[in-house]
Amino acid sequence: MSEPVISTALSSQQQLERLGYKQELSRSVTTFDLLVYGLIFMVPIAPWAIFGTVYNEAQGMVPLVYLVGLVAMIFTALSYAQMAKAIPLAGSVFSYVGKGIHPNLGFFAGWLMLLDYLLVPTLLYVFAAESMIGIFPGSERWMWALLFVAVNVVINMSGVSSLKWMNRVFLVMELAFIVAFFVIGIRALSDGATPGSSFSITPLWDPATVSAPLLATALSIAVLSFLGFDGISTMAEESTGGRGSAGRAMVLALVIVATLFITQTWLASLLAGPYQPIPEDRVGNAFFDIIGTIASTPVMNAFFVCNVLAVGIANAMAAQAATSRLLYSMSRDGQLPKFLRHINSRKVPSYAILFVGGLSAVLVLFFVGQISLISSMVNFGALTGFLLLHLSVVVFWIGRRKSRNYLAHLAFPVIGFAIIGYVLLNAETQAKVAGLVWVGVGALVFAYYRRTGRSTELAEEREDITVSSQ
């Protein structure tokens, strides 16, 4: 006997109840809001800060790196879309793996994603604090980091409406600076203001330079550059756009931000002239040095301030929101302390938001100046979570739902798994060591739960209603 299919007319409330939960968060986030949120999380101007590093690693072909990244990450975005449609919960990979494969594995998926989500805000605050020293030499890094933490806690505690409004403001700001860069850069190339520079596709593809090792290096850099689009899935329980809205927003956000990355870095690479390695002491400021050669110092400083605000407030604000939703979801399923599931009058997980803010405030005091270490730990958590995501698509759709859509439910996740697996195998040693230590701590927590009789089961799904495999 075939399983019944959920009607597209089912309300968001009914979809949530099917999965065994009550509607507690405010459903006021449109698909457009999800798209804006995803763009802010990935930061449309993200290449500015790492342009010099990628330029040297890719021998000048920075836009190629981001093109490779789009191709690589689109498979992960499609896997997210499939699971978000079937399991529209705030827990993201924790919920997908827990309900798609097994609750015990779901616990470890959530635990691994915690390594990513708990440390991302800290990484962003540390990075923004380092940048503020360039604007205000002699000031204290920890002071700036704590200021950014406080601002983002206030915004997130104010409710999802405040978050949506701030996301739009910052997105407009970043897009305005991108347009300004195109105007200034194209004019400089057209006027011959940068000797040796001209319009060409060499930064995107140079047959004399492209090689398998270079593409492998580009893949490792590129995949990590797009981390953040997955945060859209944590807003699923606040979405008004139906089962497919989060998935559509993820794929669209990834394509849009990749296009912005590619075009910006293509123009910056042209302005840099024929490839020459950027000196080590200028790598971090390479993009802003380019701005300085084609515009005035005040204009260059304005770009620098925009970058700091985008990372320290806009990006960190989105990261804190995503992290609080993951904590809320895991707490609701008994995997974390119960107080983290508290919802305040503004319909946001207030205790989880305060916890993330407090943890970030403590961690920035220890991790100031250690961006590389935090980055490696974040990357391990994200990549291992992605591996489990792809696995959950195959098990849930092919194994449990007997789907015949082999392209979306088998081929795409297998390709995505292979790409992420390759990047993870070639990750830095410190990333693997830190990640394995975190897994070990998770195993101890899991063992404690089992020994004390605490269940790792998630809320019961009603088996009489299932989703379509199409």
Side-chain angles (χ1 to χ4, degrees):
M1 180 175 172
S2 62
E3 294 179 317
V5 174
I6 287 183
S7 167
T8 55
L10 273 182
S11 69
S12 299
Q13 173 69 28
Q14 290 172 317
Q15 293 170 23
L16 197 60
E17 288 177 351
R18 176 185 66 82
L19 294 167
Y21 300 97
K22 294 189 300 181
Q23 183 68 55
E24 296 180 302
L25 300 173
S26 174
R27 282 206 180 268
S28 58
V29 181
T30 66
T31 303
F32 177 74
D33 292 324
L34 290 175
L35 175 61
V36 172
Y37 175 77
L39 292 174
I40 284 294
F41 208 150
M42 285 188 284
V43 191
I45 60 174
W48 296 4
I50 61 173
F51 178 79
T53 300
V54 182
Y55 186 84
N56 285 348
E57 291 287 344
Q59 298 182 38
M61 289 184 290
V62 184
L64 176 62
V65 167
Y66 290 110
L67 179 60
V68 170
L70 172 61
V71 174
M73 292 307 293
I74 197 69
F75 295 104
T76 297
L78 291 172
S79 285
Y80 263 108
Q82 291 300 318
M83 295 309 292
K85 178 175 64 175
I87 306 172
L89 297 176
S92 187
V93 174
F94 160 69
S95 298
Y96 304 157
V97 176
K99 287 186 172 295
I101 302 178
H102 193 276
N104 291 347
L105 190 58
F107 168 83
F108 283 99
W111 187 258
L112 285 164
M113 291 305 289
L114 278 178
L115 182 62
D116 171 15
Y117 278 59
L118 287 176
L119 289 181
V120 162
T122 301
L123 173 62
L124 298 172
Y125 294 134
V126 169
F127 189 85
E130 290 287 343
S131 298
M132 290 301 289
I133 300 302
I135 302 175
F136 299 98
S139 58
E140 296 291 342
R141 290 174 174 81
W142 63 266
M143 177 186 71
W144 293 113
L146 293 182
L147 177 61
F148 286 127
V149 171
V151 169
N152 284 312
V153 167
V154 170
I155 294 172
N156 273 282
M157 288 290 287
S158 298
V160 72
S161 294
S162 297
L163 182 66
K164 291 190 297 181
W165 183 80
M166 292 297 291
N167 281 339
R168 294 182 184 188
V169 169
F170 278 106
L171 182 60
V172 169
M173 178 192 74
E174 293 179 45
L175 293 179
F177 271 87
I178 290 174
V179 171
F181 172 60
F182 280 121
V183 171
I184 297 170
I186 292 175
R187 180 179 300 169
L189 282 175
S190 300
D191 296 343
T194 51
S197 300
S198 61
F199 290 100
S200 76
I201 64 168
T202 300
L204 187 60
W205 185 260
D206 181 3
T209 305
V210 171
S211 64
L214 185 143
L215 289 176
T217 300
L219 179 62
S220 299
I221 298 171
V223 167
L224 302 179
S225 297
F226 288 101
L227 297 184
F229 74 90
D230 52 300
I232 293 175
S233 64
T234 65
M235 306 293 286
E237 289 183 40
E238 293 158 271
S239 170
T240 62
R243 288 190 295 128
S245 60
R248 289 193 298 272
M250 276 187 274
V251 174
L252 188 55
L254 184 64
V255 172
I256 291 174
V257 86
T259 301
L260 292 173
F261 287 176
I262 292 168
T263 52
Q264 287 177 88
T265 55
W266 169 72
L267 182 56
S269 299
L270 292 179
L271 291 167
Y275 173 69
Q276 288 184 337
I278 296 171
E280 191 65 30
D281 62 336
R282 300 310 303 168
V283 165
N285 290 304
F287 180 87
F288 304 102
D289 288 342
I290 291 173
I291 296 293
T293 63
I294 60 176
S296 64
T297 299
V299 171
M300 179 185 70
N301 290 337
F303 273 81
F304 191 79
V305 171
C306 174
N307 182 67
V308 173
L309 294 177
V311 173
I313 296 183
N315 192 5
M317 176 179 64
Q320 189 173 50
T323 305
S324 65
R325 270 63 176 182
L326 176 59
L327 293 176
Y328 159 78
S329 185
M330 293 187 71
S331 173
R332 180 176 58 183
D333 279 313
Q335 310 303 297
L336 291 175
K338 292 182 179 179
F339 79 92
L340 292 172
R341 68 168 295 175
H342 175 76
I343 303 295
N344 69 3
S345 60
R346 295 182 181 273
K347 298 295 184 180
V348 295
S350 54
Y351 289 177
I353 291 171
L354 291 172
F355 177 81
V356 176
L359 180 65
S360 297
V362 173
L363 291 178
V364 294
L365 300 178
F366 291 96
F367 284 111
V368 165
Q370 301 187 58
I371 292 177
S372 178
L373 176 60
I374 311 176
S375 299
S376 65
M377 296 173 69
V378 167
N379 294 339
F380 183 91
L383 294 175
T384 49
F386 290 166
L387 287 179
L388 291 173
L389 163 74
H390 289 300
L391 183 62
S392 71
V393 174
V394 176
V395 174
F396 179 81
W397 285 108
I398 301 295
R400 292 180 56 186
R401 299 307 187 198
K402 309 303 179 185
S403 168
R404 294 183 180 180
N405 187 350
Y406 297 116
L407 185 64
H409 300 152
L410 182 61
F412 287 169
V414 167
I415 294 172
F417 187 96
I419 292 172
I420 299 302
Y422 172 84
V423 175
L424 188 59
L425 285 174
N426 289 277
E428 296 179 4
T429 301
Q430 65 176 353
K432 298 175 184 176
V433 172
L436 291 175
V437 169
W438 181 254
V439 172
V441 174
L444 293 176
V445 173
F446 180 80
Y448 171 77
Y449 281 178
R450 299 305 296 266
R451 186 172 182 82
T452 56
R454 182 181 297 187
S455 175
T456 56
E457 294 295 318
L458 281 66
E460 290 295 329
E461 178 179 359
R462 286 170 51 197
E463 293 296 342
D464 58 318
I465 307 178
T466 61
V467 292
S468 170
S469 62
Q470 300 302 316

